[in-house]
Amino acid sequence: MNREAILRALLAAPLEGISTFTRLHKRLARDICFRYQCGFRIDKAAPSVFTLSRVFSAVVELDQRTSFGCGYRE
């Protein structure tokens, strides 16, 4: 799994008018240029809806922990 590419895709989604993980998955699966621009290999399958959702949830959870001072130390 290419976490960096998934993060790029999640950031690009709203700019491309993509509002769901299902639509993002379909776009990545069908549009090789978009997949490449996000940093995915074009010879591999697009990440599943589950994988996109799992990475998004992990980022949100990390943000919540750092917002409340649970996971960040100076």
Side-chain angles (χ1 to χ4, degrees):
M1 168 178 60
N2 187 341
R3 233 174 167 63
E4 189 175 318
I6 292 173
L7 292 173
R8 284 188 194 130
L10 291 170
L11 289 170
L15 300 172
E16 293 289 320
I18 301 169
S19 58
T20 66
F21 296 124
T22 301
R23 283 184 167 176
L24 180 57
H25 166 74
K26 286 180 181 179
R27 175 75 183 272
L28 289 167
R30 294 179 184 163
D31 188 341
I32 293 172
C33 290
F34 182 65
R35 188 180 334 164
Y36 180 76
Q37 288 171 337
C38 290
F40 294 102
R41 292 179 52 165
I42 58 174
D43 61 335
K44 302 271 185 174
S48 67
V49 173
F50 175 74
T51 300
L52 295 168
S53 175
R54 187 178 61 207
V55 172
F56 178 79
S57 295
V59 169
V60 169
E61 182 180 323
L62 178 63
D63 182 55
Q64 288 174 347
R65 278 193 274 157
T66 57
S67 294
F68 294 114
C70 298
Y72 178 73
R73 297 176 197 220
E74 287 189 22

